[in-house]
Amino acid sequence: QLQLVESGGGLVQPGGSLRLSCAASGFTLDYYAIGWFRQSPGKEREGLSCINSKDGITNYADSVKGRFTISGDNAKNTVYLQMNSLKPEDTAVYYCAAALGLVCRSHAFSYSGEYDYWGQGTQVTVSL
């Protein structure tokens, strides 16, 4: 059974850091792109970042460029999202998702409809 499980969320103060993990099971990431999204109450799901496991290409939304870094460990079948300089507006539920192919090569990486499989989400709260 194909499954994505996020972890690493929690409460952090403004300016702090968190590293989220997205562990895949039931399939290998070799031919998939993994994207990170977030959603807060009353807002649409926002595409943040993406990595193509096959060619290593990454992409970022302007809102997180320079603060967030995506990386992958194919041996562990896991993708990470390192989040630095966190702000209160980063508070949201964070999701990872998998898309077959090389979606990270274009702006399509931020469209949730491009992805076939989703994790259950992990809460990130940035507050004093």
Side-chain angles (χ1 to χ4, degrees):
Q1 181 180 358
L2 192 148
Q3 193 174 16
L4 296 170
V5 178
E6 302 95 338
S7 61
L11 174 65
V12 63
Q13 293 186 351
S17 298
L18 282 175
R19 189 178 79 157
L20 304 184
S21 299
C22 174
S25 61
F27 71 108
T28 62
L29 294 178
D30 293 357
Y31 300 100
Y32 284 82
I34 298 296
W36 282 99
F37 290 76
R38 67 186 178 191
Q39 190 167 22
S40 53
K43 294 187 178 181
E44 293 187 357
R45 190 165 293 190
E46 178 187 11
L48 303 176
S49 185
C50 182
I51 184 168
N52 287 336
S53 298
K54 187 172 179 62
D55 60 16
I57 286 179
T58 60
N59 214 331
Y60 295 91
D62 289 343
S63 60
V64 302
K65 199 172 294 182
R67 299 190 299 126
F68 291 9
T69 303
I70 193 169
S71 62
D73 185 337
N74 285 0
K76 294 184 178 180
N77 228 27
T78 299
V79 170
Y80 305 97
L81 186 68
Q82 177 67 42
M83 307 188 296
N84 298 330
S85 302
L86 284 163
K87 306 173 183 179
E89 51 263 43
D90 293 318
T91 296
V93 178
Y94 283 69
Y95 301 89
C96 65
L100 190 63
L102 303 173
V103 69
C104 305
R105 289 183 173 182
S106 76
H107 66 278
F109 85 92
S110 64
Y111 301 155
S112 58
E114 293 289 326
Y115 297 82
D116 305 302
Y117 307 103
W118 291 81
Q120 82 291 347
T122 185
Q123 176 71 46
V124 171
T125 302
V126 185
S127 179
L128 291 172

